[in-house]
Amino acid sequence: MSFTAWLSLLAICCLGAMSPGPSLAMVVRHTLTGGRGKGILCAWAHSIGIGLYALVTLLGLAVVLKQAPMVFNGIAIIGALYLAWMGVKALGSNGGISDKLDAGNSSDSALAEGGDSVAGHSRAATLAAARDGLAISLFNPKIMLFFLALFSQFVMAADSLIGQSLIVFTPLVIDGLWYTFIALILSHPSVLPRLRAKAAIIDKLSGVVLILLAIRVIVTI
């Protein structure tokens, strides 16, 4: 792969990562509910899903998906249902951002006392951040279309092991770094208190956005 081709790949990966969507909403939710660490974990779990799509494209399976619309539509429907489920959870009164923030504040003192339930809650939150980050990338039809429409052209330029590695790791690293940057900004001491003050509003808005995205996926299949 030439340096010029890699720069084009880099530019497309940057634009793809920076475009707003359910992935951004998911990183924002986990950053607000679990703090900087959970947001970064969600970001890199999401990037692993991006890397898997790049690998799939490199292996030629993207062509198979394109020629098998039933398989593609099935994955898209699963993704839409997952987005809708996350949206309903966000709109619900239990388990929302505002509730989790209150629970997190009250658990800080309990953690100092060595409560096992708090440790279990922390492990569950960690697993949830990783699960949601990976799932939102694997079941997001927008990401599938991105690789099918734009990314496949670079596979032909990957005529060596180094070029093939760049095909996989460039989108993975760019995606992880971008959402890590988002998590760092949102968790900054000067930003986080303002966001927490509006946690209930953010909770409802993120739920509405996720549900609208799910509806849009179903309509456009």
Side-chain angles (χ1 to χ4, degrees), residues 1 16 38 51 56 71-72 188:
M1 175 181 289
K38 301 298 189 297
V56 163
V71 176
F72 182 88
H188 191 275

Side-chain angles (χ1 to χ4, degrees), residues 182-199:
I182 294 296
L184 291 174
I185 292 296
L186 293 180
S187 60
H188 191 275
S190 64
V191 176
L192 189 56
R194 299 178 183 178
L195 292 176
R196 285 185 168 180
K198 301 181 182 299

Side-chain angles (χ1 to χ4, degrees), residues 8-207:
S8 299
L9 172 64
L10 180 65
I12 289 179
C13 290
C14 288
L15 292 174
M18 294 178 184
S19 61
S23 302
L24 177 62
M26 195 62 62
V27 173
V28 169
R29 281 180 56 80
H30 281 288
T31 301
L32 294 182
T33 59
R36 178 177 299 176
K38 301 298 189 297
I40 292 176
L41 176 61
C42 182
W44 285 99
H46 183 275
S47 73
I48 290 174
I50 297 296
L52 288 175
Y53 266 123
L55 181 61
V56 163
T57 304
L58 182 63
L59 295 176
L61 295 182
V63 177
V64 176
L65 285 176
K66 193 172 184 179
Q67 294 177 349
M70 292 296 292
V71 176
F72 182 88
N73 290 343
I75 296 175
I77 291 173
I78 292 174
L81 292 176
Y82 183 77
L83 291 176
W85 176 67
M86 292 301 299
V88 171
K89 282 184 62 179
L91 289 174
S93 58
N94 294 324
I97 287 178
S98 55
D99 297 331
K100 289 181 180 178
L101 286 174
D102 293 338
N105 290 336
S106 63
S107 66
D108 287 342
S109 57
L111 182 60
E113 299 175 1
D116 293 337
S117 61
V118 176
H121 181 272
S122 178
R123 286 193 295 270
T126 299
L127 291 175
R131 177 203 66 202
D132 291 345
L134 180 63
I136 205 70
S137 60
L138 291 180
F139 295 123
N140 187 350
K142 174 186 171 183
I143 296 176
M144 287 198 301
L145 290 173
F146 171 79
F147 280 96
L148 287 171
L150 300 176
F151 202 76
S152 301
Q153 60 184 299
F154 295 101
V155 174
M156 300 301 296
D159 51 1
S160 66
L161 181 60
I162 294 178
Q164 293 169 353
S165 299
L166 289 173
I167 285 285
V168 174
F169 286 104
T170 297
L172 189 156
V173 173
I174 292 299
D175 186 84
L177 289 177
W178 169 250
Y179 286 115
T180 296
F181 173 74
I182 294 296
L184 291 174
I185 292 296
L186 293 180
S187 60
H188 191 275
S190 64
V191 176
L192 189 56
R194 299 178 183 178
L195 292 176
R196 285 185 168 180
K198 301 181 182 299
I201 297 176
I202 295 174
D203 210 8
K204 304 303 181 185
L205 286 177
S206 63

